[in-house]
């Protein structure tokens, strides 16, 4: 019989959000920088993040967003994230929210609260798939970002009430 072990909630947490609006070629470079960053053996387990990619502010651009949680003392976060940020252009937006572990779960959960009583479930039909892939090559990231930056604007969003919903999310497990 396998015995599950739970861990104590971290004593502190910080939710981080960085946003860029990049030309396709810069977005491809940013993905490669992120891939290099997350495969480092020294990346602390207290770091968890998701990349969200979608069409940018205009044709030829990609919206590139990094959102996640840091579950160690907040004064240690800069030493970790600086390694990634040094390889990326200056972000167009940044938000750091310090709080408790529960605060981070409420924030990242999207509802702002854990109690879902009174929230009506809605029905939506969509396709989702999870893939584990090795880091993408330079040619592949360049082609993919070019496709997103140009073909993404042709996507039929007439029925989509949330046109800013991402086309791709790359997760790094916490």
């Amino acid at each position: 019989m396998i015995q599950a072990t739970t861990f104590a909630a971290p004593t502190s947490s910080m939710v981080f959000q960085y946003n860029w609006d990049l030309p396709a070629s810069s977005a491809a470079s940013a993905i490669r920088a992120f891939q290099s960053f997350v495969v480092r053996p020294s990346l602390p387990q207290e770091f968890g993040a998701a990349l969200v990619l979608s069409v940018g502010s205009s044709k030829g651009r990609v919206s590139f967003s990094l959102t996640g949680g840091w579950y160690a003392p907040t004064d240690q976060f800069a030493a970790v994230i600086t390694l990634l940020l040094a390889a990326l252009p200056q972000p167009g937006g940044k938000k750091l929210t310090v709080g408790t572990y529960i605060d981070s779960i409420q924030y990242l959960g999207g509802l702002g609260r854990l109690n879902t009583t009174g929230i009506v479930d809605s029905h939506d039909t969509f396709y989702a798939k999870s893939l584990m892939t090795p880091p993408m090559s330079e040619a592949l990231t360049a082609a993919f970002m070019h496709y997103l930056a140009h073909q993404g604007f042709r996507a039929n969003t007439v029925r989509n009430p949330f046109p800013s919903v991402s086309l791709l999310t790359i997760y790094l497990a916490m």
Side-chain angles (χ1 to χ4, degrees), residues 79-100:
V80 174
I81 198 69
T82 298
L83 296 172
L84 176 60
L85 295 177
L88 299 173
Q90 185 73 20
K94 169 180 140 178
K95 183 177 180 183
L96 305 174
T97 306
V98 177
T100 66

Side-chain angles (χ1 to χ4, degrees), residues 6-89:
T6 58
F7 298 94
T11 56
S12 65
S13 74
M14 177 170 42
V15 174
F16 54 89
Q17 220 170 1
Y18 296 88
N19 301 298
W20 294 264
D21 185 63
L22 301 170
S25 61
S26 296
S29 296
I31 288 176
R32 288 191 304 278
F34 179 75
Q35 290 178 146
S36 295
F37 175 74
V38 298
V39 297
R40 293 177 314 113
S42 61
L43 184 65
Q45 67 181 7
E46 294 84 4
F47 178 89
L51 260 187
V52 179
L53 306 169
S54 61
V55 295
S57 60
S58 61
K59 191 172 182 179
R61 300 187 71 81
V62 174
S63 173
F64 185 96
S65 178
L66 176 69
T67 302
W70 173 250
Y71 298 99
T74 55
D75 62 351
Q76 297 173 9
F77 178 69
V80 174
I81 198 69
T82 298
L83 296 172
L84 176 60
L85 295 177
L88 299 173

